[in-house]
């Protein structure tokens, strides 16, 4: 079979490219242990708001001083829709879904993960000071394009750790609101 010289060059070129791509993926996965930004932690998607891990969505600081944000995705919103974190500080984002698959993306940062019902996705990242848009990048239904939130990263000195929530949304509902009725 006669193969044109020009065609041979392309065939070898494609072969070399494929070898390079597979090698770089294998090196990243095996030597650098690069994995998708998720870990296998399960949750009952029908009871997310009753689960201690997501009962109070939002920002908190744990005993070791580590900043954590808990976010719940649902059709068609992120809860909470407005988040303020300290800049230049590692922030751990934990996010789960109450219904279908969503895509959590903090635009123009490396903060991105798929959000699957039944699982808790988690990653840690650091922000430069500024305002960021959070979108859903996984088509999830007719309101997909409206699924947005804001993240503000403010200089550490201007950031105040939120007070520990006195009551959970469930408790407030059970009490018939937050008013004192004697
Ligand atoms: Cu949620 Cu698209």
């Amino acid at each position: 079979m006669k193969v044109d010289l020009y065609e041979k060059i392309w065939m070898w070129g494609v072969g070399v490219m494929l070898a390079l791509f597979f090698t770089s993926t294998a090196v990243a996965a095996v030597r650098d242990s690069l994995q998708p930004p998720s870990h296998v932690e399960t949750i009952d998607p029908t009871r997310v708001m009753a689960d201690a891990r997501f009962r109070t969505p939002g920002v908190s600081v744990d005993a070791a001083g580590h900043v954590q944000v808990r976010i719940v995705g649902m059709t068609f919103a992120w809860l909470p829709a407005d988040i303020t974190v300290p800049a230049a500080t590692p922030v751990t984002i934990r996010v789960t879904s109450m219904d279908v698959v969503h895509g959590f993306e903090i635009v123009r940062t490396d903060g991105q993960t798929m959000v699957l019902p039944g699982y808790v996705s988690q990653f840690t990242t650091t922000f430069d000071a500024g305002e960021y848009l959070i979108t859903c990048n996984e088509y999830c239904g007719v309101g997909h394009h409206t699924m947005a939130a804001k993240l503000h990263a403010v200089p550490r000195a201007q950031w105040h750790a939120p007070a520990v929530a006195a009551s959970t949304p469930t408790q407030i509902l059970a009490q018939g609101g937050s008013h004192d009725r004697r």
Side-chain angles (χ1 to χ4, degrees), residues 45 50 66 98 103 119 149 160 162 166:
H66 200 109
M98 285 171 64
Y119 292 89
H160 303 285

Side-chain angles (χ1 to χ4, degrees), residues 85-96:
V85 296
T89 306
V91 174
T92 297
I93 311 259
R94 284 166 59 74
V95 50
T96 191

Side-chain angles (χ1 to χ4, degrees), residues 19 26 54 58 65 76 89 96 99 106 115 117 141 157 162:
F54 286 92
F76 297 99
T89 306
T96 191
D99 37 51
I106 308 170
V115 184

Side-chain angles (χ1 to χ4, degrees), residues 13-46:
V14 167
V16 169
M17 296 284 265
L18 282 176
L20 277 175
F21 293 155
F22 281 118
T23 309
S24 67
T25 305
V27 167
V30 178
R31 193 199 65 188
D32 303 334
S33 317
L34 284 190
Q35 305 292 336
S38 307
H39 65 169
V40 181
E41 177 181 339
T42 55
I43 186 168
D44 180 349
T46 63

Side-chain angles (χ1 to χ4, degrees), residues 102 136 138-140 144 147:
H102 299 284
C136 178
E138 197 83 44
Y139 184 74
C140 52
H144 162 71
M147 211 170 153

